[in-house]
Amino acid sequence: MSQQGYVATPPYSQSQPGISGFSTGFGPPTSSPLYGHYGDPNPSYSAPQSGKAVLYFSCTGPGASQSSLMPSGVPTSFQGQGPPPPPTQQQVVLSSGSQIPPAPANLSSLCTPPSLPPVAMQDGIPGSLPPNTNLQQLPGQPPVPGHHLQHANYGPQMAGSQLSYPGAFPGGPGQLAGPQQRKLDPDSIPSPIQVIENDKASRGGQIYTTNIRGQVPPLVTTECVIQDQGNASPRYIRCTAYCFPSSSDMAKQAQIPLAAIIKPFAIVSPNETPIYVVNHGETGPIRCNRCKAYMCPFMQFIEGGRKYQCGFCSCINDVPPFFFQHLDHIGRRIDHYERPELSLGSYEYVATLDYCRNNKPPNPPAYIFMIDVSYNNIKNGLVKLICNELKTVLDKLPSKEVCLLWVVGAKGLSQAVLWKWLIDRPERGQVVTVSFQQAAECAGKLFIFHSSLPTAEAPGKLKNREDKKLINTDKEKTLFQPQVNFYESLARDCVASGCCVNLFLFPNQYVDVASMGLVTMYTGGSLYKYNNFQVHADAPQFLSDLRKDIEKRTGFDAIMRVRTSTGFRATDFFGAIYMNNTTDVEMAAIDSDKAITVEFKHDDKLNEDSGALIQCAVLYTSISGQRRLRVHNIGLNCSSQLADLYKSCETDALINFFAKSAFKAILNQPLKTVREILVNQTARMLACYRKNCATSSAVSQLILPDAMKVLPVYMNCLLKSCVLVGRPEIPTDERAYHRQLVMSMDVADTQLLFYPQLLPIHTMDVKSDAFPTAVRCSEERLSEGGVFFLANGLNMFLWLGVSAPPELIQGIFNVPSFAHVSAEATLLPEVDNPYSKKLRSLMDYIQSKRPYSMKLLIAKQREQADMLFRQYLVEDKSIYGGASYVDFLCCVHKEICQLLN
């Protein structure tokens, strides 16, 4: 099978050793601590011992011929090799761009160059090495054409060139010596924006049906209508690959993580398939006798409909008499389309008493509000703001819901019960005092509004441990670990009671998010943080978060189990979850924004005919107090061809997995090690594709699979995130906060967080319903005469160029010029003109798609907020340390070359 790829030629001419102390083979030294599936002590990705060489490495330098362009646009390296590649390969010629500036001396390098390889002539190709007889293409793996981006002239050889990268990658200072080199033209390398827009153009606004096993869905950035026809909607389940390798050896060869990002309570559009409820009465859900999988479209009915074969374990089961139905001429039940559990990928069962605690029906969930009424919170108006809002909030709670209000005083939680209210308002709205023992008999949510470090003499007492000296040391990981065991023990008790904890923090200084936030994470709750809270500036954001959280669709006292067909199994879980064993994912609550990422491993060979089947079942209590089972099913393909695996990958899902696995790993490993593994993993995946799936070409060409061509830019954004960049300027609480948020994010949220949306507002057509097309997140895309809107799901900016058109400034801000715009504003004025209405409509729409409310910051060019805004231009070098996209792409290519050589 052929598959298109993406080929680029980075601006350097030397092969590189392993990254940051890694050995020059295909894996890290065995002494390096690893995490997840990267920890295989015997990497299968090793060069075959014999065979014909198909890839070459070419170098340029003093005395070496350099490729130049023929009149037809074909590099001279194709002369003597027959005709140039066919047009389907979309050959593009790299134009040389600006020079790479010297890297800051205080940043360590990511790659250190070895001595120059010998220059050779092979088959008339100037500057290429002789064939490497130790490298061969795997038998049975067809070559795949790629998008070829060829050499431009990059000038003389650099002596001792190094690429800088953040966070103390070993290898010495990242200084450039000798003549400066030219870098890639940014427009010639893969663009995330182009990938997003191409997918929108080809699949946007269409109906996507899920009846075909293993098909790759539209990107999360593409709006379409999803029709459930037997596999769960991608709103519920997205996978890192939709075609799994048929064997564990092939999986180790490719090094692509096999994972599913599951969002059980995702919101679907009104015009999409809803969740239907199946009620079998006292009999309860129909399940396989052996593996306990629930009835689903993967079950095969046999013997005239009297028995069925489980699609997961192949066990033959009797069909209960009440469920019997005849089969049609193709062996399908004649009531197939009348039963959701037979025709849909997602549905719910009403659970019986066997699925309830103590075999008793659950009570409706309760909501408890706990307010820190310390002096500072009263003085700054926070307490008044919360109390006024609760008057409104209580009226919006579901009709049968129990609600308690618990206000705590300044001396700590244990002494401060002031109010106890029960709201019972079918129609009456009466307020009755009750005991907390009543509330303990049901699941629910606990809302805590808190602003300071707990320092009272109590089991949860904490101290300020923010120590900048630990950054970039092996002890840095302790900053992300809880100080004391109390909070983990408390979280365990909360999960056992079905109590979900939502924590709203209003800190003016260090509060130890890593410790207190543990209760929120383990119970499936949400964490919110408003630094230096001021009522006039921050109240809209806080109140919006509170209202959205209360109104979210939520499952309480939940347990999730993921079942798979034979040959593979779920091995690791990431999210706002608690696990008391290796199979049951416990959540005191799970809402419509929470996602759990599940990793799979082979334990046998997969059958290409039957594929790889996944069933996720969530047992939960509804807001009305009914015990239910929500079931999601998805079938994936299996193949023995690596090309099939690579073309089925979803980069956005891969980054979600890599982020969560890395953020989990930093609890136990040095951040430097985690960063190194991420870079090495990227190179290994791409090197495997290059060796086994790409057409033969010079090693100096960077060939990327089409489905993963923006993986390097997203991976670089992850590496530059505040969690993985160890810099003393970034507060520890901020890093712990971001780490916790990402652990429960879905694919769409991590995609936007790591690669923000940057919209040129000055190009906006106010007469059209369409929003302006996004541009790449780079300073090169800004203009002094422009106005740009940026959002990443947690923050949003409106950037104003110093020469922005006065009429646009007037239309948005109702002031005459740039100089009159107040940088302190956090809301746009409601001006009655097309510019203002269109911009506010755009902002509201983007905000409506995100779980967290974003506070608007006005960033005027060359003023203070401008520097903060530029931190989100992720294709550029970061002020906190971090390579530009171009530099990182070059560095990954060097590592790939080393792996291939």
Side-chain angles (χ1 to χ4, degrees):
M1 295 184 182
S2 65
Q3 177 192 354
Q4 290 190 332
Y6 195 97
V7 187
T9 308
Y12 53 81
S13 53
Q14 311 181 138
S15 62
Q16 299 295 317
I19 292 181
S20 306
F22 278 176
S23 58
T24 55
F26 288 92
T30 55
S31 59
S32 299
L34 301 176
Y35 66 86
H37 66 285
Y38 312 147
D40 184 4
N42 300 302
S44 62
Y45 189 97
S46 57
Q49 296 303 309
S50 62
K52 180 181 178 182
V54 294
L55 301 177
Y56 302 95
F57 178 84
S58 65
C59 63
T60 58
S65 300
Q66 299 185 31
S67 61
S68 57
L69 296 180
M70 299 164 59
S72 63
V74 180
T76 55
S77 59
F78 279 104
Q79 297 180 33
Q81 302 182 76
T88 56
Q89 295 184 1
Q90 299 182 20
Q91 177 170 298
V92 181
V93 180
L94 284 180
S95 59
S96 54
S98 57
Q99 295 180 331
I100 299 177
N106 63 334
L107 296 180
S108 300
S109 69
L110 178 60
C111 303
T112 52
S115 57
L116 249 172
V119 176
M121 295 289 291
Q122 177 71 24
D123 295 332
I125 305 176
S128 62
L129 286 176
N132 181 350
T133 56
N134 290 324
L135 184 62
Q136 67 177 5
Q137 189 163 333
L138 284 185
Q141 302 294 346
V144 181
H147 305 292
H148 288 263
L149 290 178
Q150 293 290 349
H151 291 281
N153 291 328
Y154 293 116
Q157 169 66 36
M158 284 178 58
S161 63
Q162 296 181 346
L163 287 172
S164 61
Y165 208 80
F169 281 95
Q175 297 179 346
L176 297 176
Q180 287 189 336
Q181 216 174 9
R182 299 200 175 188
K183 72 174 183 178
L184 291 172
D185 177 6
D187 288 328
S188 68
I189 58 179
S191 164
I193 302 303
Q194 192 62 54
V195 169
I196 290 170
E197 292 302 319
N198 287 348
D199 196 69
K200 286 180 179 179
S202 62
R203 309 181 80 173
Q206 301 181 13
I207 296 177
Y208 171 78
T209 57
T210 68
N211 57 323
I212 301 175
R213 188 185 75 191
Q215 63 179 334
V216 181
L219 297 179
V220 290
T221 46
T222 298
E223 294 192 6
C224 61
V225 177
I226 299 173
Q227 198 172 82
D228 186 343
Q229 291 190 1
N231 287 285
S233 163
R235 305 201 195 282
Y236 296 120
I237 303 179
R238 283 188 175 267
C239 298
T240 55
Y242 294 86
C243 179
F244 276 17
S246 58
S247 67
S248 60
D249 288 342
M250 183 179 167
K252 292 176 182 177
Q253 176 88 2
Q255 287 291 301
I256 294 175
L258 306 177
I261 296 88
I262 304 173
K263 193 178 179 184
F265 288 85
I267 300 297
V268 298
S269 301
N271 57 347
E272 296 181 349
T273 312
I275 294 288
Y276 290 99
V277 180
V278 180
N279 190 349
H280 289 322
E282 295 181 0
T283 306
I286 300 174
R287 308 178 68 177
C288 172
N289 292 328
R290 180 191 293 165
C291 70
K292 303 302 180 184
Y294 295 92
M295 179 59 65
C296 68
F298 305 143
M299 305 302 188
Q300 181 68 43
F301 289 89
I302 56 178
E303 297 186 17
R306 292 186 298 274
K307 295 181 183 292
Y308 69 92
Q309 183 175 26
C310 177
F312 295 89
C313 69
S314 300
C315 176
I316 305 296
N317 298 267
D318 291 328
V319 174
F322 80 90
F323 196 68
F324 172 79
Q325 187 53 272
H326 295 285
L327 307 183
D328 62 14
H329 65 286
I330 61 173
R332 186 168 56 191
R333 287 172 56 119
I334 61 175
D335 65 347
H336 176 83
Y337 291 107
E338 299 171 15
R339 291 191 176 272
E341 69 271 37
L342 300 182
S343 58
L344 299 178
S346 300
Y347 45 89
E348 282 192 348
Y349 284 109
V350 175
T352 60
L353 291 179
D354 295 337
Y355 294 87
C356 302
R357 289 181 186 268
N358 304 318
N359 292 330
K360 295 180 180 179
N363 293 318
Y367 280 15
I368 300 176
F369 299 87
M370 302 174 65
I371 309 171
D372 173 359
V373 292
S374 59
Y375 174 76
N376 287 337
N377 286 353
I378 295 174
K379 184 179 179 182
N380 67 15
L382 177 60
V383 172
K384 181 179 179 181
L385 178 70
I386 294 172
C387 291
N388 287 340
E389 178 63 18
L390 288 181
K391 295 176 184 178
T392 304
V393 164
L394 298 183
D395 289 333
K396 293 183 178 180
L397 296 175
S399 60
K400 293 184 180 180
E401 186 172 339
V402 176
C403 173
L404 296 168
L405 178 61
W406 185 10
V407 183
V408 296
K411 293 187 178 180
L413 303 183
S414 61
Q415 304 176 14
V417 179
L418 301 182
W419 300 338
K420 294 175 280 189
W421 287 350
L422 169 68
I423 307 301
D424 177 14
R425 40 178 231 53
E427 282 83 28
R428 297 171 299 166
Q430 293 183 343
V431 180
V432 185
T433 303
V434 296
S435 70
F436 284 100
Q437 186 173 359
Q438 285 178 268
E441 295 176 358
C442 61
K445 280 189 178 183
L446 176 59
F447 292 79
I448 300 178
F449 307 93
H450 191 64
S451 62
S452 60
L453 189 71
T455 55
E457 289 299 331
K461 178 181 178 181
L462 299 173
K463 63 181 180 180
N464 190 330
R465 55 166 179 160
E466 187 167 29
D467 188 352
K468 305 293 186 184
K469 297 193 201 109
L470 298 182
I471 293 175
N472 290 323
T473 71
D474 287 349
K475 292 185 178 180
E476 184 175 7
K477 60 190 177 186
T478 62
L479 298 176
F480 298 99
Q481 300 168 356
Q483 265 189 67
V484 293
N485 296 328
F486 169 79
Y487 292 94
E488 182 172 357
S489 176
L490 177 61
R492 189 164 51 245
D493 293 342
C494 287
V495 172
S497 301
C499 176
C500 170
V501 179
N502 284 345
L503 184 57
F504 293 77
L505 291 174
F506 307 87
N508 293 323
Q509 55 190 359
Y510 179 78
V511 293
D512 199 347
V513 170
S515 293
M516 288 199 294
L518 199 67
V519 182
T520 299
M521 176 178 278
Y522 280 175
T523 61
S526 298
L527 178 64
Y528 304 89
K529 188 160 75 75
Y530 313 92
N531 298 328
N532 302 309
F533 183 85
Q534 295 179 318
V535 170
H536 69 278
D538 302 302
Q541 181 189 13
F542 159 60
L543 295 179
S544 176
D545 281 334
L546 178 59
R547 292 164 188 166
K548 287 170 68 174
D549 198 296
I550 289 175
E551 294 171 2
K552 282 180 187 177
R553 178 179 177 85
T554 303
F556 297 89
D557 197 12
I559 300 177
M560 184 181 88
R561 179 169 287 191
V562 177
R563 293 177 174 86
T564 60
S565 53
T566 54
F568 73 113
R569 59 191 171 86
T571 58
D572 212 349
F573 300 83
F574 310 92
I577 58 176
Y578 178 78
M579 298 194 69
N580 203 27
N581 55 49
T582 58
T583 58
D584 293 331
V585 178
E586 298 183 56
M587 298 161 286
I590 177 170
D591 62 47
S592 56
D593 292 320
K594 298 293 189 299
I596 299 99
T597 299
V598 184
E599 184 180 12
F600 303 99
K601 295 278 185 62
H602 286 74
D603 51 20
D604 203 348
K605 192 173 178 64
L606 298 180
N607 187 309
E608 294 189 36
D609 293 330
S610 57
L613 309 180
I614 300 170
Q615 183 180 86
C616 167
V618 182
L619 175 64
Y620 75 98
T621 300
S622 70
I623 197 71
S624 62
Q626 188 178 48
R627 202 69 172 151
R628 289 187 178 183
L629 271 160
R630 177 166 290 207
V631 182
H632 298 293
N633 306 279
I634 188 170
L636 308 176
N637 286 336
C638 299
S639 177
S640 58
Q641 301 294 321
L642 281 168
D644 294 337
L645 168 61
Y646 277 95
K647 70 181 180 182
S648 77
C649 288
E650 184 178 330
T651 297
D652 295 331
L654 281 168
I655 289 299
N656 181 281
F657 170 82
F658 279 122
K660 292 183 180 181
S661 58
F663 287 6
K664 181 178 180 180
I666 63 174
L667 294 176
N668 303 303
Q669 298 184 53
L671 269 73
K672 183 181 75 170
T673 301
V674 174
R675 291 190 296 257
E676 289 170 350
I677 293 171
L678 287 173
V679 180
N680 186 261
Q681 184 79 4
T682 303
R684 286 160 66 92
M685 288 189 295
L686 299 178
C688 178
Y689 173 83
R690 172 61 187 268
K691 184 173 73 168
N692 298 296
C693 303
T695 52
S696 301
S697 58
V699 177
S700 56
Q701 291 176 340
L702 174 60
I703 303 179
L704 305 173
D706 192 62
M708 299 169 65
K709 62 187 178 185
V710 291
L711 178 66
V713 63
Y714 283 151
M715 184 62 76
N716 191 39
C717 295
L718 169 59
L719 288 162
K720 293 196 291 186
S721 67
C722 68
V723 179
L724 294 182
V725 172
R727 299 286 292 185
E729 299 91 340
I730 307 175
T732 302
D733 271 347
E734 199 65 24
R735 299 174 70 193
Y737 172 65
H738 276 80
R739 175 189 171 274
Q740 181 160 330
L741 295 193
V742 168
M743 291 304 292
S744 62
M745 281 186 176
D746 69 355
V747 175
D749 290 334
T750 51
Q751 187 277 331
L752 185 64
L753 179 68
F754 294 122
Y755 197 93
Q757 191 173 19
L758 182 62
L759 303 175
I761 300 303
H762 55 282
T763 67
M764 186 168 60
D765 183 0
V766 295
K767 297 179 181 179
S768 167
D769 291 334
F771 293 148
T773 301
V775 297
R776 297 172 70 163
C777 286
S778 172
E779 185 178 358
E780 294 181 358
R781 310 294 162 170
L782 303 180
S783 61
E784 290 191 353
V787 175
F788 292 82
F789 175 78
L790 182 145
N792 75 339
L794 299 179
N795 309 93
M796 59 183 179
F797 293 85
L798 192 61
W799 185 87
L800 310 177
V802 291
S803 302
E807 62 273 16
L808 187 56
I809 297 292
Q810 177 73 45
I812 296 173
F813 295 98
N814 202 26
V815 295
S817 68
F818 173 90
H820 292 82
V821 175
S822 170
E824 303 299 319
T826 57
L827 293 173
L828 293 181
E830 295 187 11
V831 186
D832 188 16
N833 66 66
Y835 283 117
S836 176
K837 291 179 179 178
K838 183 72 178 283
L839 177 55
R840 285 184 284 115
S841 172
L842 181 152
M843 292 169 58
D844 290 344
Y845 176 78
I846 293 175
Q847 179 67 80
S848 69
K849 298 290 186 180
R850 300 300 153 195
Y852 291 88
S853 298
M854 294 178 280
K855 178 181 175 181
L856 177 66
L857 294 177
I858 306 298
K860 300 173 69 175
Q861 187 179 10
R862 299 172 192 161
E863 295 190 9
Q864 186 174 2
D866 187 17
M867 185 64 72
L868 181 62
F869 166 81
R870 289 172 191 269
Q871 295 176 28
Y872 297 91
L873 302 179
V874 291
E875 290 199 21
D876 301 334
K877 288 185 179 179
S878 168
I879 62 171
Y880 290 129
S884 68
Y885 172 26
V886 170
D887 287 354
F888 181 73
L889 194 64
C890 296
C891 201
V892 168
H893 188 195
K894 290 181 181 181
E895 179 68 6
I896 293 171
C897 290
Q898 181 59 40
L899 293 173
L900 294 174
N901 282 315

